[in-house]
Amino acid sequence: MLITLRKRVLHLRGPLVTAHGSTTERHVIEISVRDGTFCGHGEAAPLPGFGLESFQEAEAGLQNWVRDPEQLPASPAALSGAVTALEYLELQKEGICLPAASIAVQALVGASEASDVEAQVAQAVASGYSAVKLKVATTETSVDIDRIQVAAAVTNGETLLRLDANGGWSPDEALKVLTAVSDTEIELIEEPTRDPSEWREISTRTGLKVGADEQLTDRLQIDRILELEAAQTFVLKPSVLGGPESTRQLASRAQDHNVRVLISSLLEGPIGLRTARDLAIELAPQEIHGLGTAALFIEDLPEDVSPINGRIFRL
C-alpha cells in the first residue's frame, strides 16, 4: 500500500470571524492511499479552536503513518483523513459505486457589519439556499441583536435562520440577545455558551432549540449533554470526530435519544467536503446540512461540492 500526502492552501474571500478567532485561509493535507490499481482519498484540515490538534501535529501523525501504515494517526483530523482514504479504497476494491444523489446545504454568513450581513443573506436567499447560518458572539451584544434582526428581516420566515455562537456568550449575554430577537423566526442556536448545563434554561426561556457542536469531541461531555437533554440537535463534523465510522456511531446514539443530526464541514477542501456530503446523504438525507462552504473560497472548488440552488450533488 502506497500512501502519499500533498499540502494545499485555500483562501477565503473574506475573513470568517467566530468566537474562536478570525480565519482567512485553510491549510489542508490531501491523502491518497493506493493499492494496485485502486485508490482512496482523504483529507486532514485541523482548525484552531475547533479541533484537538494543530496542523503540525496532524502532519507529523500522517508522516508517521506513511512510514508505518499499520499504525494509524492518533489525533482526530489526521485519523479522519487516514480512515476516510482507507474506506473509499475499500469501496473501490469491492466495486461499490455510490449512486448519484444530492443534499440541501446552508449558506454561512460571518460578516461583522449589519449592512454586510444584509447583503450576504440576501445573496444566499437569491441563490436558492433554504437555510442561512449566522455567526454570532463575536462583537457587542447590541451589534449582534442588530445583525440578527437584519438577517431575520431578509429571510422573512421563508428561509431558515440559524445562529452559531461557538460558545462565545455568557448565559446573561445569550439571554439578552436571544430574548431581544424573540419576535424573529430562528430555527436553531448552536453552542450558546461553553457550559451545556446552561443550555436547557436558555432554550426554555427563549423557546429556541439548541445545537451541540464543539462539545461533541469529548465522550464524557456527550454523555452529559444527553443526560441533561441540553441539545435537540447534534452538529457532527467528521473531521474532528475521527472519520466516517465515528460519525456514524455518534449519529446513531443521537438518534436513539431523539436528537436530530446535521453534518457540517470544518472549512475543508473538496475531499473533506465530499466525505461530509456522502455522510449527510447516508445519515440524514432530508436535513439541510452545514456543507455550503465551497462558496466561501477564492479558489474554484469542483462542481460536486459547489452549491447549486442550495444543494450539492454526488455525480
Side-chain angles (χ1 to χ4, degrees):
M1 186 171 69
L2 176 65
I3 304 168
T4 58
L5 309 176
R6 172 179 175 254
K7 290 190 286 187
R8 183 179 183 188
V9 181
L10 299 170
H11 303 86
L12 295 175
R13 296 183 184 278
L16 181 64
V17 182
T18 74
H20 296 302
S22 178
T23 301
T24 58
E25 60 185 22
R26 292 291 283 119
H27 293 255
V28 307
I29 303 170
E30 297 181 338
I31 304 160
S32 297
V33 180
R34 187 172 295 278
D35 188 356
T37 60
F38 303 105
C39 190
H41 300 282
E43 179 182 298
L47 182 61
F50 288 87
L52 301 176
E53 82 233 71
S54 67
F55 183 86
Q56 291 75 20
E57 289 168 334
E59 183 180 15
L62 288 167
Q63 288 173 340
N64 288 336
W65 180 51
V66 170
R67 290 188 288 268
D68 181 7
E70 298 300 317
Q71 187 65 44
L72 285 167
S75 58
L79 176 62
S80 175
V83 297
T84 296
L86 291 171
E87 179 171 307
Y88 281 103
L89 174 67
E90 200 58 34
L91 288 176
Q92 273 209 4
K93 286 182 174 181
E94 295 175 6
I96 297 173
C97 183
L98 298 175
S102 70
I103 201 78
V105 299
Q106 67 191 14
L108 180 61
V109 174
S112 299
E113 299 295 330
S115 58
D116 293 331
V117 168
E118 182 178 25
Q120 291 180 23
V121 174
Q123 182 179 12
V125 172
S127 298
Y129 289 92
S130 47
V132 173
K133 181 162 84 170
L134 177 66
K135 291 288 188 179
V136 293
T138 62
T139 183
E140 296 179 2
T141 54
S142 59
V143 176
D144 261 343
I145 292 168
D146 289 342
R147 293 170 70 247
I148 295 167
Q149 289 174 334
V150 164
V154 177
T155 55
N156 196 31
E158 297 179 4
T159 301
L160 296 179
L161 178 59
R162 297 167 172 173
L163 307 179
D164 187 0
N166 296 115
W169 282 326
S170 69
D172 287 344
E173 288 170 333
L175 288 170
K176 178 180 179 180
V177 174
L178 298 175
T179 301
V181 299
S182 60
D183 60 339
T184 64
E185 293 193 41
I186 298 168
E187 189 215 17
L188 179 70
I189 171 66
E190 288 183 36
E191 300 262 346
T193 67
R194 291 185 183 275
D195 186 349
S197 68
E198 299 160 348
W199 296 354
R200 191 166 182 179
E201 180 183 359
I202 290 171
S203 178
T204 299
R205 292 180 60 178
T206 65
L208 292 178
K209 294 182 178 179
V210 174
D213 184 349
E214 289 96 324
Q215 302 290 340
L216 300 177
T217 58
D218 184 296
R219 291 189 178 185
L220 292 177
Q221 197 71 298
I222 293 168
D223 293 343
R224 185 168 176 241
I225 291 169
L226 291 173
E227 181 181 350
L228 293 170
E229 298 182 349
Q232 294 75 49
T233 299
F234 276 10
V235 181
L236 307 183
K237 290 182 168 68
S239 59
V240 300
L241 295 175
E245 189 54 35
S246 297
T247 304
R248 293 185 185 102
Q249 292 173 5
L250 184 50
S252 177
R253 189 171 180 204
Q255 290 161 350
D256 286 344
H257 286 79
N258 296 315
V259 174
R260 182 175 64 154
V261 166
L262 302 177
I263 305 298
S264 180
S265 79
L266 193 65
L267 293 177
E268 293 110 331
I271 297 173
L273 278 170
R274 287 188 189 110
T275 304
R277 175 204 64 197
D278 290 348
L279 283 166
I281 292 169
E282 173 188 343
L283 298 173
Q286 303 306 316
E287 296 285 3
I288 305 169
H289 297 273
L291 303 175
T293 52
L296 300 178
F297 290 106
I298 292 173
E299 293 82 2
D300 290 330
L301 298 195
E303 180 183 3
D304 65 329
V305 295
S306 297
I308 301 173
N309 293 325
R311 303 185 74 84
I312 56 175
F313 294 79
R314 184 168 66 201
L315 306 175

